[in-house]
Amino acid sequence: MVIRGTDDTLRSDRTPEFARRTDTGGWRLSWLPEYTLSREQAWAGMELDELVSDLAAVHDRLAHAEISARADVLGILWQQALIKLAKRIDARQRGEEPAAGESVPDPPAQLSRLRPPRSMHEDRAPQAYHG
């Protein structure tokens, strides 16, 4: 996994997704264009995309935890991120690549709204789901 960053863009060597700085100084992810993010959030979004794109990690619990942590930095559910990324992959495979800044519609069920950003280094008790 290599993410290359400049002052204005973040690009992956593994996926076609990217992040770009806006005119106002915020950041937008190609797969989550409806939200203006901090650079830290954009970087986390790029890492999340790379983690999801690693097919060898499908059954890796540590990778699942990393995906969840990156989604938490973005303020979205990891399931919501997977749906958005899967829709973009599907659109590309059908030759219908969404234009930069255009989002593929979400599923009809309401998912989470963005929460205030959390630093990946913020001290908090780990949460576990036992269900």
Side-chain angles (χ1 to χ4, degrees):
M1 266 190 330
V2 176
I3 297 171
R4 300 200 190 288
T6 67
D7 290 341
D8 297 320
T9 61
L10 300 174
R11 294 210 176 263
S12 167
D13 66 346
R14 181 171 285 176
T15 75
E17 303 298 345
F18 60 91
R20 183 171 290 146
R21 191 162 59 135
T22 66
D23 294 338
T24 60
W27 287 80
R28 296 258 166 102
L29 286 165
S30 58
W31 62 271
L32 196 65
E34 58 271 25
Y35 300 108
T36 302
L37 308 168
S38 68
R39 183 177 172 92
E40 179 186 18
Q41 288 176 304
W43 196 279
M46 293 297 297
E47 289 175 333
L48 188 154
D49 179 36
E50 286 198 337
L51 287 163
V52 167
S53 299
D54 183 2
L55 297 179
V58 169
H59 301 291
D60 182 344
R61 285 190 200 199
L62 293 176
H64 296 177
E66 292 295 325
I67 289 167
S68 182
R70 296 317 186 277
D72 197 40
V73 171
L74 287 171
I76 62 175
L77 298 171
W78 65 266
Q79 295 95 328
Q80 186 176 13
L82 289 180
I83 290 168
K84 288 183 167 289
L85 288 165
K87 283 183 166 191
R88 291 184 62 88
I89 290 168
D90 185 52
R92 279 192 191 93
Q93 288 177 342
R94 287 183 282 123
E96 302 171 2
E97 174 147 2
E102 179 183 317
S103 180
V104 178
D106 281 335
Q110 183 167 351
L111 299 174
S112 76
R113 298 211 184 276
L114 276 177
R115 296 183 305 267
R118 290 185 184 163
S119 170
M120 287 190 311
H121 309 293
E122 184 178 302
D123 290 334
R124 63 187 173 123
Q127 297 178 356
Y129 176 72
H130 303 284

